[in-house]
Structures are given as structure tokens and as C-alpha cells.
């Protein structure tokens, strides 16, 4: 009997990450859950262990603590077959415009931190000639808009990074998937009135990821309508675009 | 957002509190689960959705003690634990309710006559009371809060975590015996005859009259001793839209009743059913409440003390039959003794549950029926109710003053309010 494969989930406490971890546990994967909040992470690990009877280990992981990343990855006893990068940070645009610490945190977490850990993992997967990498990016990265461009630019950089990584690793049979969720109904957005047709449930994000990995897709919008919406927004001429407030 | 109970009557505009408890204490609200209580128990201008808190915390493979957050649904527990040989010790007729809701309504099921309510299997729970104090409640720690909260309709705090026992089973199959009875007397005799059977419930033809008044199908059963545990939840049918009101008139209900009753074999017959078909027949149809049309329906469930059950039910059934208001589902059941909880519904006796489509004259009719129930020493189930008056409530729930005093003492009344609590003066 071959041993069950392991999945590494970075930023494991978000609703999307939890749902994705559960989807893989359901498929028989063991899990490494890594998050800044270890206490919360351990609670999620217990839940998944009891539900799916797979092995789940939790780790403290801080995306901004770049120098710790190599040791963290080396500490995983069994190399994971896949990684889902789900951490991210979004500060309110208006607040961030007056507070560079928030801007820097967004860049450090969403871009620098992501590149730091994924380069380490990519090197390992490339050498092993197998594995899959999933990056949760954002539709906000498709075009800079006044309401959200600082966060959006970090996600644009991240999407661009994933595209290049995909190009590099394709020869090594390692797949790289970029996920753009759009609105997601999570416990953090429970009190917001999000438009139902544009809003995905975390479980939907999880299923989309699972299927897209199996099919070795490159970039997937969880709700297909977002692809259309962003296509339009990206191609709006400035003459029109600049008159909008989005 | 618009919010209503499962009966879709009444409807209220409500906004949801966020996950973060710092926002909770500035106004009154009610914690809500899966919105399966029928009336206004989980309705308020502000509500706190509990479903996002749905983690398992611990499971003892020896004792069956499960500890979980309160937002987990019974259906999830079944999917996870039935394949491992465990099932809910007490389950209501829908599995689409949260564990927190099961405690708050102190739900019961087909085995009430032997096992009692859901709370009998609750070891302890965590309750968040004003200003983020967490109280652990059991029969030993904070017993008053325990007995007030089980059946307390969410009015004593936010149930965040529950420890309760599952029961071991050997099969995912139920061996069922169906007994076709000719009238109410016969139905009662059959209940008595089968009172040692772990699960029992009767579907009663409410519209039958004369000599057939009270004719029923009594279904009794237990888990099979052999068989497999390879349980998988099935995909459901969905009612895609509100049915037009005329679909469910008294004639069509009568026809439905006749067919349902008519298809059962005479005397006794045996069946082997899956747990979904046995415990949760209506869960197989998503949004089945839409068949009553957009005005919704009222479910009316009452219980009468055993000594007056037969005569009382005869009178009630006659009046329902005469009214022609049409009840799609009528469920009769023999209950066991009542528990110590302050507002739990069950008592030793017979309970009848019926659905009425919302229609003119219904409110008055139900209030009249309720008067009769109260006069006979019975009561109405709060988890299904939207019409009980304060007077009727006070006459039928003897521990109400204790409940009010506790709410006042702990300042719970200022923070936890629902349309139900306001209607009943809780």
C-alpha cells in the first residue's frame, strides 16, 4: 500500500483554506496546516482529523518572516505533493493611502512572502519532477481601480509571478494554478450584503481548486461570470473607465 | 435581509451580526441556526448566525461523547459518524438543524417515549452571556442555566459548544413494521401495544370522519442488527418555485391522504428502510415548504396529557375535519414523561402535529384549538409556533416565572430577544 499524499496549506485558517483542506482530506490527503495563529490552526486540525480520519499537523507560519521559510519547509517530514497558498492581507484602500505600514504589510504578505516560500517549494517540486502549486490570487489584480488598487497591485504581481512559475515548471511536470475567487461568503463577510450571483461559497472555491488541479488548468475564475466581468473592465477604454468610481 | 422561519410566516427584516463579538452587545438580538424552527423563535431585527461555527472538537470512541461547536448540522454528524457505527441518540424529523438549535428547542423524535428529548444526552454546553462571559453549563455546573437553556429558545445566551452522546448502531438500516388502523381507538391501542418498540410514530388521516375518524398508519421500528454502515447522503429533489395557492386545496389534500393511506397493506406489514426514509422523509425534498405557496403555512403541534388524550384528540380531530382547512401532514405520537427543563414541550401523553396553509380565518381557528389544548392541560410546541398568545403560554408552561426571573437577574432579557420572546412576554 502506498502512503497517502500530503497537502500543505499556507494561511490555513481562512474559510477558503479550510474548505480546500477538507476537500483534499475527503480525497484521502494528509494535511500540513500552516498559519500565523497556531491556536486556531490546531482547532481546525482537530476538526478535520475527526471528520476525515486523516493525519493533520499544524505549524506556525508567518508569511512576513521570510528568513524562517526555508527551515519551515525543511521541517516537514514527508514532502508534500501539493501546496495551496491561501494567505493574504487586504487593508481598506482609503486607510492604506494614509498609512504606509499597511501598504507594506500587503506587499510583504501578498507578494514578497508568497514568492519567498513558493521559490523554496518550487525548487523541491522541480527536482522531484512532480507536484502541484495553487495560488489564491484575486480579480482585483486584473486592473488597477481606485477603490482597491494597492491590494490589487500586490495580487497583480502575484498572478504574474504564478504565470512565470507555471512557464518554468511545465517542463518538470509540476502544475501551477492561479485561482481568482471574486466575492466569497466567509465568516468575515457574513455581515456584508454581497450579490448572490457573484458570490462563491468557500466549498465552491474548494471544489473548483480540486477539479482544476486534476485537469491541470492554469487560471480559473471560481464563478465564470467574473471572467466576463473582468474582461470588460480590463478592456474599458480610459475615457470611459476614468468616469467610473469602481 | 428578509428572514422567516420554515413556515415562511411571519417574515421580518433582519441584519446579521458579524463574527466578531465586539459588535454584539450594543443591541438585542437572537442567535440563529439553520432557520428550521417554523414560527418566529429565530426572528428578530438583528440576528447572529451560528452556522459558521461548525468544528468538531473531540470524540470519545468508547463512550460516544461528541464535543462540537454549535453550528454543525445533524446531517453532517450523521454523514461522518454513521459509517463509524454511531448515530444521534435523539433526532427530530429533520436532520437539517444545528446542534445549537437542537439544544435551544430541546428537540425530540420518534423515540421520545423511551429516550426523552435531545437534552437527555447532552452532558454540557458552553453559553456566552452578556459581555462575553462564557459559562459552562451542565446538570452540576450552573444547573439553572442548563435547565433554562435546553428548550429556552435561545433566550438565555449564545450556545457555542455542545458535548453530547451519540449512540452505537450496527446498521444503517431500520426494520420497520407498519400497522394500519381503522380509527382513533384502534390507533391508541396499537401505540400501547408497541410502546416497547424503540421508535414509533403514526401518520394520521386528519380529514377522515365518522367511523374512520383517527384512522392511521402507525410505523414502529428499530435499527437492524445486521447490515452495513456504508452510508452516503443522497442528492435531493428541489421544489424550484412557490406552488400557486390553489394546488393545495382541501380536495387535493384529501386525495393525497386517501392514496397514502390506501397504499399501505391491511393489518401489519414489514419494511426495511434507510435512515433517511425512516427519520427524515421530507428532507429528501429541498425547500418542501414552498408547496404551501408564497403566503407560507403554520405548523400546529400540541400535546395533551395522557389521561385526556383520547377524548381531547377526538374533539380536536372532529373540529379540524369540519374546518376543511386541509392539513398535508398530520403526525401523532405517544410521548414519555416530561423532563426538568423549564420550557421543554414534551409531557407524558399524545401529541399531534399538523400543517395549515396560511389562509383567512386560520389564525382565529388555531387560537380556538389552542384554547382547548390549554384547557385540557396540554401545550403547544414553541419551535413550531407563531400564534400562541401570552395568556395561553402562561397557562400551559408552569415554569415561565422562573424563566423570566433568570432572564432578568442575569440581564439576559436586555440582550436576547426574538419576536417569540416579545409575543410571549419572555
Amino acid at each position: 500500500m502506498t502512503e497517502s499524499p500530503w497537502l500543505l496549506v499556507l494561511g490555513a485558517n481562512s474559510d477558503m483554506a479550510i474548505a480546500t483542506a477538507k476537500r483534499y482530506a475527503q480525497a484521502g490527503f494528509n494535511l500540513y496546516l500552516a498559519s500565523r495563529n497556531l491556536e486556531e490552526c490546531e482547532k481546525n486540525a482537530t476538526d478535520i482529523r475527526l471528520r476525515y480520519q486523516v493525519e493533520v499537523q499544524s505549524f506556525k507560519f508567518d508569511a512576513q518572516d521570510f528568513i524562517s521559510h526555508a527551515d519551515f519547509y525543511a521541517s516537514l517530514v514527508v514532502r508534500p505533493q501539493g501546496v495551496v497558498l491561501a494567505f493574504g492581507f487586504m487593508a481598506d484602500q482609503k486607510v492604506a493611502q494614509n498609512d504606509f505600514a499597511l501598504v507594506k504589510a500587503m506587499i510583504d504578505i501578498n507578494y514578497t512572502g508568497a514568492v519567498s516560500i513558493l521559490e523554496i517549494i518550487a525548487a523541491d517540486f522541480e527536482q522531484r519532477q512532480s507536484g502541484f502549486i495553487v495560488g489564491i490570487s484575486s480579480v482585483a489584480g486584473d486592473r488597477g481601480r481606485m477603490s482597491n488598487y494597492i491590494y490589487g497591485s500586490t495580487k497583480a504581481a502575484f498572478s504574474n509571478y504564478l504565470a512565470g512559475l507555471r512557464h518554468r515548471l511545465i517542463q518538470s511536470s509540476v502544475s501551477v494554478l492561479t485561482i481568482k475567487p471574486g466575492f466569497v461568503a466567509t465568516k468575515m463577510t457574513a455581515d456584508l450584503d454581497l450579490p448572490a450571483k457573484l458570490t462563491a461559497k468557500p466549498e465552491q472555491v474548494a471544489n473548483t481548486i480540486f477539479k482544476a488541479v486534476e485537469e491541470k488548468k492554469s487560471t480559473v475564475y471560481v464563478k465564470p461570470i467574473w471572467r466576463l466581468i473582468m474582461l470588460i473592465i480590463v478592456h474599458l477604454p480610459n475615457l470611459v473607465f476614468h468616469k467610473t468610481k469602481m | 435581509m428578509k428572514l422567516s422561519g420554515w413556515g415562511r410566516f411571519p417574515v421580518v427584516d433582519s441584519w446579521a451580526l458579524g463574527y466578531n463579538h465586539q459588535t454584539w452587545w450594543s443591541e438585542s438580538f437572537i442567535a440563529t441556526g439553520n432557520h428550521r424552527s417554523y414560527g418566529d423563535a429565530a426572528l428578530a431585527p438583528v440576528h447572529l448566525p451560528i452556522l459558521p461555527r461548525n468544528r468538531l472538537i473531540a470524540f470519545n470512541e468508547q463512550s460516544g461523547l461528541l464535543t462540537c461547536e454549535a453550528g454543525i448540522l445533524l446531517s453532517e454528524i450523521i454523514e461522518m459518524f454513521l459509517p463509524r457505527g454511531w448515530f444521534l441518540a435523539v433526532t427530530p424529523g429533520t436532520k437539517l438543524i444545528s446542534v445549537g438549535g437542537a439544544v435551544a428547542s430541546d428537540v425530540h423524535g420518534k423515540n421520545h417515549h423511551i429516550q426523552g428529548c435531545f437534552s437527555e444526552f447532552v452532558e454540557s454546553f458552553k453559553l456566552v452571556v452578556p459581555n462575553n462571559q462564557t459559562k459552562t453549563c451542565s446538570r452540576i455546573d450552573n444547573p439553572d442555566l442548563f435547565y433554562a437553556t435546553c428548550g429556552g429558545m435561545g433566550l438565555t445566551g449564545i450556545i457555542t459548544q455542545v458535548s453530547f452522546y451519540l449512540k452505537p448502531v450496527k446498521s444503517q438500516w431500520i426494520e420497520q413494521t407498519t400497522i394500519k388502523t381503522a380509527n382513533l381507538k384502534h390507533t391508541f391501542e396499537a401505540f400501547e401495544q408497541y410502546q416497547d418498540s424503540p421508535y414509533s410514530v403514526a401518520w394520521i388521516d386528519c380529514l377522515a370522519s365518522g367511523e374512520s375518524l383517527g384512522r392511521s398508519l402507525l410505523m414502529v421500528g428499530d435499527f437492524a442488527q445486521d447490515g452495513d454502515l456504508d452510508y452516503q447522503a443522497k442528492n435531493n429533489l428541489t421544489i424550484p418555485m412557490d406552488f400557486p395557492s390553489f394546488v393545495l386545496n382541501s380536495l387535493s389534500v384529501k386525495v393525497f391522504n386517501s392514496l397514502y393511506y390506501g397504499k399501505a397493506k391491511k393489518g401489519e406489514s414489514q419494511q426495511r428502510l434507510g435512515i433517511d426514509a425512516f427519520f427524515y422523509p421530507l428532507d429528501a425534498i429541498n425547500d418542501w415548504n414552498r408547496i404551501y405557496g408564497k403566503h407560507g403555512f403554520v405548523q400546529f403541534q400540541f400535546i395533551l396529557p395522557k389521561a385526556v388524550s383520547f377524548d381531547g384528540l377526538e374533539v380536536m380531530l372532529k373540529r379540524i375535519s369540519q374546518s376543511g382547512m386541509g392539513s398535508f401532514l398530520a403526525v401523532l405520537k405517544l410521548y414519555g414523561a416530561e423532563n426538568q427543563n423549564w420550557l421543554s414541550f414534551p409531557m407524558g401523553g399524545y401529541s399531534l402535529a399538523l400543517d395549515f396553509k396560511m389562509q383567512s380565518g386560520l389564525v382565529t381557528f388555531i387560537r380556538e384549538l389552542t384554547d382547548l389544548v390549554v384547557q385540557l392541560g396540554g401545550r403547544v410546541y414553541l419551535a413550531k409556533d407563531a400564534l400562541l398568545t401570552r395568556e395561553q403560554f402562561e397557562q400551559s408552561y408552569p415554569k415561565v416565572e422562573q424563566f423570566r426571573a433568570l432572564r432578568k437577574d442575569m440581564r439576559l432579557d436586555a440582550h436576547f430577544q426574538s419576536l417569540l420572546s416579545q409575543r410571549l412576554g419572555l
Side-chain angles (χ1 to χ4, degrees):
Chain A
M1 200 179 109
T2 54
E3 293 227 345
S4 296
W6 288 77
L7 177 77
L8 169 62
V9 184
L10 298 163
N13 288 344
S14 79
D15 286 359
M16 276 187 275
I18 293 166
T20 307
K22 284 179 177 171
R23 181 64 190 85
Y24 275 89
Q26 202 188 346
F29 275 73
N30 296 320
L31 301 170
Y32 297 120
L33 302 184
S35 166
R36 218 163 27 135
N37 184 341
L38 189 58
E39 193 190 339
E40 197 64 12
C41 198
E42 188 44 52
K43 286 182 185 171
N44 291 326
T46 304
D47 173 59
I48 295 172
R49 219 177 276 134
L50 286 169
R51 278 177 191 256
Y52 302 101
Q53 299 179 294
V54 295
E55 281 188 61
V56 188
Q57 295 177 16
S58 39
F59 295 86
K60 187 168 170 59
F61 173 81
D62 185 347
Q64 293 183 87
D65 187 8
F66 314 128
I67 50 168
S68 70
H69 291 179
D71 284 349
F72 159 74
Y73 190 69
S75 73
L76 305 180
V77 176
V78 183
R79 306 277 94 163
Q81 188 189 319
V83 57
V84 175
L85 190 149
F87 62 75
F89 172 58
M90 180 168 70
D92 183 84
Q93 169 71 28
K94 288 247 167 64
V95 180
Q97 277 167 218
N98 297 304
D99 184 351
F100 187 72
L102 289 173
V103 175
K104 185 163 185 301
M106 283 193 273
I107 296 169
D108 282 353
I109 294 169
N110 300 345
Y111 185 62
T112 320
V115 172
S116 163
I117 183 67
L118 286 186
E119 279 301 299
I120 293 161
I121 295 168
D124 176 47
F125 284 11
E126 186 174 45
Q127 194 235 319
R128 286 158 51 202
Q129 300 276 298
S130 82
F132 61 88
I133 293 169
V134 180
I136 299 186
S137 191
S138 171
V139 297
D142 288 6
R143 183 171 193 176
R145 291 167 295 111
M146 63 188 287
S147 63
N148 205 11
Y149 67 87
I150 299 176
Y151 171 79
S153 65
T154 66
K155 287 299 191 180
F158 183 46
S159 294
N160 213 333
Y161 166 78
L162 290 170
L165 190 64
R166 179 179 308 123
H167 191 192
R168 163 186 159 194
L169 294 178
I170 196 114
Q171 283 93 350
S172 313
S173 312
V174 177
S175 63
V176 177
L177 170 66
T178 308
I179 285 284
K180 298 182 179 178
F183 296 141
V184 181
T186 67
K187 53 179 176 266
M188 292 306 163
T189 60
D191 52 343
L192 302 180
D193 231 345
L194 298 173
K197 286 200 164 54
L198 302 182
T199 307
K201 291 191 172 131
E203 293 73 26
Q204 232 172 328
V205 178
N207 283 328
T208 303
I209 289 174
F210 190 82
K211 199 159 156 260
V213 166
E214 283 204 323
E215 293 169 358
K216 300 202 187 303
K217 291 265 173 65
S218 303
T219 299
V220 173
Y221 292 78
V222 173
K223 289 235 159 192
I225 183 135
W226 276 105
R227 187 181 284 278
L228 183 66
I229 293 171
M230 296 321 294
L231 188 78
I232 293 166
I233 291 177
V234 167
H235 289 93
L236 275 183
N238 276 341
L239 203 64
V240 179
F241 181 66
H242 288 165
K243 289 192 176 123
T244 70
K245 297 277 181 216
M246 60 186 169
Chain B
M1 65 179 87
K2 296 272 184 215
L3 213 57
S4 67
W6 188 241
R8 306 175 79 204
F9 167 85
V11 180
V12 68
D13 247 322
S14 183
W15 62 274
L17 287 172
Y19 197 70
N20 188 337
H21 59 67
Q22 267 127 31
T23 61
W24 292 353
W25 307 108
S26 54
E27 49 211 311
S28 70
F29 64 94
I30 190 80
T32 59
N34 206 28
H35 299 282
R36 285 288 172 137
S37 62
Y38 287 67
D40 55 3
L43 301 184
V46 184
H47 69 282
L48 172 67
I50 215 75
L51 292 189
R53 299 159 188 275
N54 64 352
R55 288 184 294 212
L56 297 179
I57 294 163
F59 182 65
N60 185 321
E61 301 273 356
Q62 270 72 49
S63 67
L65 185 67
L66 176 67
T67 301
C68 60
E69 293 179 336
I72 199 162
L73 298 184
L74 300 186
S75 57
E76 292 180 78
I77 293 174
I78 296 167
E79 278 169 41
M80 289 181 281
F81 288 96
L82 185 52
R84 298 181 222 175
W86 297 93
F87 191 70
L88 302 160
V90 167
T91 177
T94 173
K95 58 182 175 174
L96 301 173
I97 66 164
S98 66
V99 168
V103 173
S105 292
D106 197 16
V107 297
H108 60 274
K110 290 181 173 185
N111 60 355
H112 185 274
H113 60 294
I114 292 178
Q115 303 286 10
C117 290
F118 191 84
S119 62
E120 313 316 326
F121 297 88
V122 173
E123 190 216 49
S124 63
F125 53 81
K126 286 193 175 163
L127 190 71
V128 176
V129 294
N131 300 317
N132 302 321
Q133 258 192 297
T134 298
K135 303 258 187 197
T136 300
C137 306
S138 69
R139 289 172 181 81
I140 296 147
D141 299 320
N142 299 306
D144 276 1
L145 264 182
F146 182 89
Y147 294 118
T149 301
C150 296
M153 308 314 287
L155 297 169
T156 56
I158 307 153
I159 302 163
T160 54
Q161 181 179 318
V162 184
S163 294
F164 62 105
Y165 290 96
L166 300 180
K167 73 170 198 176
V169 294
K170 291 189 175 137
S171 173
Q172 62 155 326
W173 302 101
I174 305 285
E175 303 286 3
Q176 175 179 276
T177 302
T178 302
I179 303 103
K180 189 173 184 171
T181 68
N183 54 40
L184 192 60
K185 184 159 176 287
H186 191 187
T187 307
F188 268 57
E189 284 164 4
F191 262 117
E192 301 287 336
Q193 188 191 336
Y194 283 95
Q195 62 181 319
D196 294 334
S197 189
Y199 296 101
S200 71
V201 75
W203 181 85
I204 182 166
D205 181 355
C206 272
L207 301 183
S209 55
E211 287 187 359
S212 311
L213 185 83
R215 70 178 185 180
S216 302
L217 297 176
L218 172 63
M219 289 155 278
V220 303
D222 194 8
F223 279 88
Q225 289 302 306
D226 59 329
D228 62 277
L229 291 163
D230 189 19
Y231 172 76
Q232 272 174 341
K234 292 176 189 68
N235 286 331
N236 289 346
L237 291 171
T238 293
I239 303 288
M241 53 172 215
D242 298 339
F243 280 18
S245 292
F246 62 80
V247 172
L248 210 79
N249 60 26
S250 64
L251 184 68
S252 61
V253 169
K254 204 160 191 167
V255 169
F256 177 87
N257 282 3
S258 299
L259 285 175
Y260 195 107
Y261 184 81
K263 83 172 186 190
K265 289 192 190 120
K266 273 191 182 167
E268 290 185 10
S269 56
Q270 261 73 38
Q271 301 88 27
R272 193 175 167 98
L273 303 176
I275 57 123
D276 285 311
F278 184 73
F279 290 108
Y280 316 113
L282 283 172
D283 284 348
I285 308 166
N286 289 333
D287 302 332
W288 65 261
N289 52 351
R290 302 185 85 165
I291 63 171
Y292 289 99
K294 65 175 184 221
H295 300 300
F297 69 105
V298 166
Q299 180 160 104
F300 182 57
Q301 179 169 6
F302 64 91
I303 190 160
L304 296 174
K306 204 167 174 188
V308 298
S309 282
F310 184 81
D311 294 341
L313 272 167
E314 205 170 41
V315 175
M316 301 284 285
L317 284 170
K318 274 184 189 152
R319 293 187 60 170
I320 291 161
S321 170
Q322 281 159 10
S323 79
M325 294 225 189
S327 187
F328 195 80
L329 252 191
V331 175
L332 180 70
K333 166 144 187 69
L334 172 62
Y335 282 52
E338 79 181 2
N339 61 25
Q340 293 185 59
N341 302 334
W342 297 0
L343 295 185
S344 280
F345 163 73
M347 62 168 73
Y350 281 85
S351 155
L352 187 71
L354 325 84
D355 294 350
F356 292 99
K357 188 174 79 175
M358 205 59 207
Q359 53 196 292
S360 69
L362 181 66
V363 172
T364 315
F365 181 60
I366 287 192
R367 294 239 160 96
E368 284 167 17
L369 290 180
T370 306
D371 277 338
L372 197 59
V373 168
V374 173
Q375 275 167 30
L376 290 167
R379 57 174 79 115
V380 164
Y381 192 8
L382 298 183
K384 301 198 167 170
D385 169 60
L387 297 174
L388 191 66
T389 66
R390 187 171 169 162
E391 293 70 34
Q392 289 167 334
F393 173 63
E394 285 170 352
Q395 285 166 36
S396 51
Y397 281 85
K399 290 177 183 159
V400 57
E401 286 311 327
Q402 245 169 289
F403 192 81
R404 283 178 177 147
L406 177 98
R407 291 227 326 139
K408 208 160 176 230
D409 288 350
M410 293 186 64
R411 289 200 44 75
L412 305 173
D413 56 347
H415 293 282
F416 306 114
Q417 286 179 21
S418 59
L419 296 195
L420 180 139
S421 76
Q422 284 160 4
R423 176 164 56 87
L424 302 178
L426 281 169

